[in-house]
Amino acid sequence: METISTNRAFEGIQGVYRHQSESCRCPMTFAVYVPPQAQNRPCPVLWYLSGLTCTHANVMEKGEYRRAAAEAGIIIVCPDTSPRGDDIADDDGYDLGQGAGFYLDATQAPWAPNFNMYSYVNEELPPLIARKFPADMSRQAIFGHSMGGHGALTIALKNPDTYRSVSAFAPITNPIAVPWGQKALPAYLGDDRSAWRGYDATALIEDGRKVPEILIDQGGADNFLPEQLDAKAFVAACERAGIDLTFNLRPGYDHSYYFISTFMADHVAWHAARLAD
Ligand SMILES: N[C@@H](CCC(=O)N[C@@H](CS)C(=O)NCC(=O)O)C(=O)O
């Protein structure tokens, strides 16, 4: 692992690192904020998964998570959203290929060799974080935005013993039913719709996966809300499954990091309460 940069912030360290990923078969960059408490004891880990077009840097620069993470004593890890490179498959659209990995393991050409973001986030990065940072891996949680909200929800639903809590900003909760998912899922997974259900939070809950509770914030003026982010089916699935869902519709807020940064401290504190010893 190579250190790209470190900057002192709120008495902790905001770092950016690069390593050779086995899952994605390319160099991958990620950001880690280590709070000051880590000088004395291992700290819990909160994973933040970003949305379409993002790298590790969008939330690092605009998410404003560091004050809350420093107060709570939580490490925040921000991975990239896909493999990258001139020799890696891509698409002209912003919603497929590089910057749009959808936190799944692709099975179809030309994506399958590199687009394995599910394994990357869930299986490859955690042992690296455990080795290189003062992390208490028995206390992990996960959250994300939009495509990253989809990633957080699906990864938590499939690994309820690994992540103690899950939350999201404006998540794609039902990708099989909306244009973003209907483009990405067949491209990455082929035409067998049963494979798509393994990466759809609403379908996972309908098919019996469960977490105790979920926190979601959604901007009421989000331009993607009507077509891509409608959560009615997800809310109904949570109700039927007995999942304690807090769904905060925030009037006037859009899809941007102005919205995310407004509610970031709420989410970090919510996770901190669940990550306490
Ligand atoms: N650029 C896309 C929109 C993509 C977008 O809004 N991405 C969100 C995540 S889904 C984001 O966080 N963008 C980066 C940023 O705001 O810094 C478009 O042309 O419609």
Side-chain angles (χ1 to χ4, degrees):
M1 187 181 84
E2 176 193 354
T3 301
I4 308 293
S5 63
T6 54
N7 293 91
R8 193 169 183 89
F10 296 94
E11 304 306 317
I13 299 286
Q14 177 64 64
V16 178
Y17 308 90
R18 188 186 298 131
H19 72 129
Q20 181 64 32
S21 165
E22 283 178 26
S23 321
C24 299
R25 297 194 177 93
C26 68
M28 294 288 285
T29 304
F30 59 94
V32 181
Y33 178 69
V34 177
Q37 293 84 343
Q39 289 157 22
N40 304 317
R41 56 178 165 81
C43 291
V45 177
L46 176 56
W47 297 85
Y48 179 90
L49 304 184
S50 294
L52 292 164
T53 74
C54 291
T55 68
H56 68 284
N58 299 67
V59 68
M60 182 179 80
E61 292 165 356
K62 301 191 290 190
E64 300 181 25
Y65 54 76
R66 277 174 290 270
R67 182 187 298 277
E71 279 170 12
I74 289 180
I75 293 172
I76 299 197
V77 184
C78 308
D80 202 347
T81 54
S82 77
R84 293 181 193 274
D86 293 341
D87 53 348
I88 306 280
D90 202 1
D91 183 87
D92 288 340
Y94 75 92
D95 49 4
L96 185 66
Q98 297 186 33
F102 274 84
Y103 305 98
L104 51 73
D105 287 348
T107 57
Q108 304 299 302
W111 315 107
N114 306 95
F115 284 71
N116 295 304
M117 289 300 290
Y118 177 81
S119 293
Y120 178 67
V121 168
N122 190 54
E123 285 157 27
E124 181 174 354
L125 262 186
L128 182 68
I129 297 299
R131 274 202 311 280
K132 301 285 188 184
F133 297 90
D136 176 356
M137 303 305 282
S138 71
R139 293 186 287 155
Q140 296 185 70
I142 190 163
F143 69 154
H145 170 228
S146 196
M147 176 185 73
H150 143 77
L153 291 170
T154 52
I155 288 172
L157 283 162
K158 292 206 259 198
N159 302 278
D161 296 333
T162 304
Y163 304 94
R164 283 199 198 176
S165 48
V166 56
S167 76
F169 305 101
I172 310 170
T173 53
N174 197 188
I176 63 179
V178 304
W180 276 336
Q182 287 167 351
K183 178 175 178 180
L185 295 173
Y188 291 135
L189 302 173
D191 293 330
D192 175 10
R193 294 177 75 97
S194 66
W196 305 5
R197 293 182 72 82
Y199 294 106
D200 181 296
T202 303
L204 284 166
I205 294 169
E206 287 169 356
D207 293 346
R209 305 279 189 154
K210 214 173 159 176
V211 292
E213 55 181 339
I214 297 172
L215 169 65
I216 290 178
D217 276 85
Q218 170 66 58
D222 184 329
N223 57 325
F224 294 117
L225 175 55
E227 198 183 11
Q228 307 279 12
L229 305 175
D230 182 274
K232 285 187 208 73
F234 181 76
V235 172
C238 286
E239 265 169 26
R240 273 196 300 274
I243 294 173
D244 182 3
L245 171 66
T246 301
F247 190 96
N248 299 318
L249 187 65
R250 305 293 191 180
Y253 284 90
D254 63 19
H255 196 64
S256 72
Y257 273 90
Y258 293 103
F259 157 65
I260 298 168
S261 58
T262 301
F263 299 102
M264 178 59 83
D266 293 354
H267 281 241
V268 173
W270 187 85
H271 286 288
R274 285 146 185 85
L275 291 167
D277 288 315

